[in-house]
């Protein structure tokens, strides 16, 4: 007979500090202890074997349970259920509700109460059992017990899933065998885009790993895995020119950081012999090698057999596995009813509830988003292990996932409109993430851009924006002003030029107020069309006028030349125009950067600067239930001083008109007529007059649509209905501003060449 293990040596506090501060220890059970003593105490077994499952009324049937000391003792002795409960009960929450003295004085004498009732889990279509605890009349839900059969081949009680890797292996095997869409993500045209180097990890007993060059490997028949991880303050072991040959000969396991060691171990357990880790497979002191490998990053992750994600670790020393409360999230069996039909208890509340993946450390990093999106399969290591593939999700708490959950992060789309929407969502989510180097802003999203570019025929990519409906794409806006970068990252017209979250207003119908004429970008590397650029410019033809941007104590506002407006409105104004000029217009300003100095920003008095206002497009949104919405969007520009008509963007502005049902009915009729006449365009359809999409994009590559250059009285239907018509007022003001300046002979050297066909229209360039 083997000697009984010393369980007290296998249990301890996480840290000495926590042991001193906590009135109730968080238990840490060693793998040896769990594998030998995973069972139920007599009290848990009696309650579950005698539970009345016919009771559905709240709060259920009450059962006397352990007191705090008994619960801790039972957990120490290996009761899985007591261990989970001990780590699930939130002591701070209890103290807030029962008072600071009750827990200390009564925990050893007052038992917990377990309440059990059955209910219909309508959202999944299966029945369940709700379990809750009670102490001093304070009730708290604990977990659900799902009355559904356990999948074949998964033994929750035999060993730690983390150690045996049974569950991750079952996820991978099922995906490989039954998910054609996951396997189809490897495309024939990307098989040659393989990583230049991989790590050969061998088997579990191999004390070495070797760097190997893939030119001799047939990766179409050789599986490899990848690792996504946080660098933190730096990675202590990385590939350089100096250690290149030594890494080829072999890297001792003992010198490899813990996160990398765990990834190597996981790769071996899944019977895969090759692993790609960026810091060990890209020469870190070679800018040329980094650009070469980063250009095919999307292929590296897309062709990976499985991507391991060290999501809870902030650096290379944290490891894959959560060590604070190990095995807390593993679903456990309960002896309810027929023991031949095991039941899974897997959903918990309080501090042990299912973790949100987006809150994990790794997913705050910008580079990781495309790694997660492009990989066919992700094994995510947080407090528990999570699974994502193209067709399914799962976790240790929910091994088979739920019908409500699908993988949210994908690059796909069947129409121009859906692809545009996908890209806007990608950029919005990506732009809120952190990058160690701001200069990586375009290259860290290049893989997703390349993936979408393969699907989007006849559409070009320019520094984060796409050519189709480029005018609308220019109307991104920052959630808040950011600090302007000291060095060039992207043209000012690209969202990549700012360091904050960006978003778009999007609608199905639009009326173009400016025309995109030409786009020029210079790539940093000609072999990387979706990567960083060294400069870029966009040439447009559209209306423009001058205004004052004023910084007040609380906000920024646009002030227009009201004296000029009043003078023009009183001279040669028709009766129809009177209604348009009486109400004025209000603009909302969203700045990319503050254009003032630190001293001016700190000033208590108002500070202003002359800017140029360039309206680009009016979007028509009829999806609102009780009204319609017109939203004019445009750019705030400052002259560069290099050339006449050359500007840089500093912000975005918009004006909105909204109508009730009467206005909506009239506008629906007018919009239907304008669609038929081609005066406005639907973004998901080619405009009239073109045989097919190919001819349309050949003649109109930027999706400008039909441009009507008349500004005054453009949207008079709103005024006819008695509404303000602020957009019409604004466009009328630009028209009159240009006319008055022409009459007075006022020449603005910053404005570009004036359009001979339309008043107030100019050819200008944004850099």
């Amino acid at each position: 007979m083997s000697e009984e293990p010393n369980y007290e040596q296998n249990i301890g506090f996480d840290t000495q500090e926590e042991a001193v501060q906590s009135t109730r220890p968080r238990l840490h059970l060693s793998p040896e202890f769990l594998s030998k003593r995973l069972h139920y105490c007599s009290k848990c077994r009696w309650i579950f074997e005698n539970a009345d499952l016919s009771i559905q009324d709240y709060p259920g049937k009450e059962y006397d349970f352990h007191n705090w000391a008994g619960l801790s003792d039972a957990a120490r002795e290996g009761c899985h259920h007591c261990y989970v409960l001990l780590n699930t009960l939130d002591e701070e929450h209890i103290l807030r509700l029962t008072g600071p003295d009750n827990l200390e004085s009564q925990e050893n004498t007052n038992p917990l109460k377990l309440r059990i009732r059955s209910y219909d889990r309508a959202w999944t279509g299966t029945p369940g059992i709700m379990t809750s605890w009670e102490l001093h009349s304070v009730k708290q839900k604990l977990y659900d017990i799902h009355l559904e059969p356990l999948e074949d081949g998964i033994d929750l009680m035999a060993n730690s899933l983390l150690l045996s890797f049974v569950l991750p292996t079952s996820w991978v095997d099922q995906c490989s065998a039954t998910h054609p869409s996951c396997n189809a993500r490897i495309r024939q045209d990307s098989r040659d885009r393989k990583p230049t180097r991989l790590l050969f990890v061998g088997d579990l007993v191999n004390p070495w790993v070797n760097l190997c060059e893939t030119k001799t490997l047939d990766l179409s028949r050789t599986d490899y895995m990848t690792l996504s991880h946080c660098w933190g303050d730096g990675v202590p072991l990385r590939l350089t020119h100096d250690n290149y040959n030594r890494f080829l000969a072999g890297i001792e396991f003992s010198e490899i950081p813990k996160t990398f060691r765990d990834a190597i171990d996981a790769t071996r357990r899944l019977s895969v012999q090759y692993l790609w880790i960026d810091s060990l497979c890209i020469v870190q002191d070679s800018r040329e090698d980094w650009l070469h490998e980063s250009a095919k990053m999307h292929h590296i992750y897309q062709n990976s057999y499985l991507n391991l994600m060290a999501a809870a670790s902030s650096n290379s020393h944290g490891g894959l596995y959560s060590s604070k409360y190990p095995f807390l999230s593993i679903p456990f069996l309960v002896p309810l009813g027929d023991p031949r039909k095991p039941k899974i208890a897997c959903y918990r509340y309080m501090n042990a509830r299912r973790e949100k993946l987006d809150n994990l450390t790794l997913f705050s990093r910008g580079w990781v988003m495309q790694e997660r999106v492009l990989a066919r399969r992700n094994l995510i290591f947080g407090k528990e292990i999570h699974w994502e593939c193209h067709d399914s999700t799962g976790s240790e708490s929910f091994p088979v996932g739920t019908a409500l959950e699908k993988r949210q992060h994908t690059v796909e789309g069947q129409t121009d409109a859906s692809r545009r929407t996908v890209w806007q969502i990608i950029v919005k989510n990506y732009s809120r993430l952190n990058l160690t180097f701001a200069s990586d802003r375009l290259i860290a999203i290049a893989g997703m851009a390349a993936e979408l570019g393969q699907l989007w025929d006849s559409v070009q990519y320019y520094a984060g924006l796409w050519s189709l409906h480029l005018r609308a794409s220019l109307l991104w806006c920052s959630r808040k002003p950011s600090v302007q970068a000291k060095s060039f990252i992207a043209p000012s017209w690209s969202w990549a030029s700012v360091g904050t979250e960006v978003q778009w207003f999007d609608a199905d119908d639009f009326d173009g107020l400016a025309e995109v004429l030409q786009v020029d970008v210079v790539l940093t590397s000609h072999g990387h069309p979706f990567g960083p650029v060294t400069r870029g410019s966009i040439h447009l033809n559209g209306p423009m006028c001058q205004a004052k941007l004023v910084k007040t104590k609380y906000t920024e506002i646009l002030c227009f030349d009201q004296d000029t407006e009043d003078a023009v409105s009183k001279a040669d104004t028709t009766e129809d125009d009177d209604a348009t000029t009486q109400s004025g217009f209000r603009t909302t300003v969203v700045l990319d950067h503050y254009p003032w100095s630190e001293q001016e920003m700190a000033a208590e008095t108002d500070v202003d600067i002359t800017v140029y206002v360039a309206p680009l497009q009016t979007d028509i949104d009829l999806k609102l239930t009780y009204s319609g919405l017109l939203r004019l969007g445009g750019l705030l520009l400052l002259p560069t001083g290099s050339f006449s008509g050359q500007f840089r963007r500093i912000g975005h502005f918009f004006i909105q008109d909204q109508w009730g049902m009467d206005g909506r009915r009239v506008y629906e009729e007018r919009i239907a007529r304008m669609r038929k006449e081609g005066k406005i365009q639907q973004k998901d359809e080619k405009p009239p007059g073109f045989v097919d999409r190919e001819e349309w994009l050949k003649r109109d590559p930027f999706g400008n649509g039909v441009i009507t250059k008349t500004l005054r009285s453009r949207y008079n239907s709103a005024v006819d209905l008695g509404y303000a018509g602020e957009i019409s007022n604004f466009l009328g003001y630009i028209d009159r501003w240009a006319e008055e300046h022409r009459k007075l002979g006022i020449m603005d050297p910053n404005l570009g060449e004036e359009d001979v066909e339309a008043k107030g229209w100019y050819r200008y360039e944004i850099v």
Side-chain angles (χ1 to χ4, degrees), residues 266-304:
T267 304
R268 291 169 170 175
R269 290 183 183 278
L270 290 169
S271 301
V272 177
Q273 293 193 316
Y274 294 93
L275 174 66
W276 187 88
I277 302 176
D278 53 2
S279 58
L280 298 181
C281 295
I282 299 176
V283 182
Q284 297 299 309
D285 55 355
S286 170
R287 175 71 175 174
E288 180 182 359
D289 191 65
W290 186 84
L291 286 173
H292 181 264
E293 295 301 297
S294 63
K296 54 187 178 182
M297 196 76 75
H298 61 297
H299 294 294
I300 292 175
Y301 280 93
Q302 192 178 57
N303 292 338
S304 168

Side-chain angles (χ1 to χ4, degrees), residues 73 110 123 244:
D73 290 342
N110 286 12
W123 60 283
Y244 193 94

Side-chain angles (χ1 to χ4, degrees), residues 222-238:
T222 304
D223 289 329
Y224 67 90
M225 288 166 51
T226 48
L227 173 67
S228 294
H229 66 102
C230 286
W231 279 55
D233 294 333
V235 176
L237 186 67
R238 58 182 74 186

Side-chain angles (χ1 to χ4, degrees), residues 48-190:
F48 284 125
E49 288 178 351
N50 293 277
D52 187 350
L53 305 184
S54 64
I55 298 178
Q56 295 189 3
D57 295 336
Y58 179 83
K61 186 172 180 178
E62 178 183 291
Y63 301 88
D64 284 339
F65 194 49
H66 296 292
N67 56 28
W68 283 108
L71 183 66
S72 178
D73 290 342
R76 290 178 185 276
E77 292 172 5
C79 177
H80 190 125
H81 182 237
C82 289
Y83 172 70
V84 171
L85 293 190
L86 186 64
N87 284 281
T88 301
L89 300 178
D90 187 334
E91 180 179 315
E92 293 182 4
H93 179 69
I94 297 168
L95 288 172
R96 285 195 300 269
L97 296 177
T98 65
D101 299 328
N102 287 340
L103 182 64
E104 192 73 31
S105 62
Q106 301 180 32
E107 65 173 353
N108 291 321
T109 57
N110 286 12
L112 286 161
K113 306 286 187 181
L114 279 187
R115 298 178 180 273
I116 298 178
R117 67 183 179 92
S118 60
Y119 70 106
D120 289 329
R121 296 170 63 240
W123 60 283
T124 60
T126 59
I129 301 296
M130 176 70 73
T131 305
S132 61
W133 64 266
E134 179 179 346
L135 176 66
H136 312 314
S137 300
V138 177
K139 299 182 179 67
Q140 178 62 49
K141 297 176 183 177
L142 289 181
Y143 52 79
D144 287 350
I145 298 172
H146 296 187
L147 299 183
E148 51 194 25
L150 192 64
E151 283 197 334
D152 293 339
I154 299 179
D155 186 354
L156 297 177
M157 297 295 291
N159 289 292
S160 163
L161 290 178
L162 295 179
L163 296 178
S164 66
F165 246 63
V166 171
L167 185 55
T169 301
S170 71
W171 284 328
V172 174
D173 290 346
Q174 183 182 31
C175 177
S176 299
T178 63
H179 296 169
S181 60
C182 295
N183 294 314
R185 291 176 72 82
I186 294 184
R187 296 184 176 85
Q188 292 297 326
D189 62 0
S190 67

Side-chain angles (χ1 to χ4, degrees), residues 225-269:
M225 288 166 51
T226 48
L227 173 67
S228 294
H229 66 102
C230 286
W231 279 55
D233 294 333
V235 176
L237 186 67
R238 58 182 74 186
L239 179 64
T240 64
H241 283 109
D242 290 341
N243 61 23
Y244 193 94
N245 289 331
R246 182 169 70 85
F247 279 22
L248 288 174
I251 310 170
E252 284 193 47
F253 210 64
S254 59
E255 67 175 308
I256 300 174
K258 179 172 174 53
T259 301
F260 297 176
R261 291 200 307 270
D262 287 350
I264 292 168
D265 178 79
T267 304
R268 291 169 170 175
R269 290 183 183 278

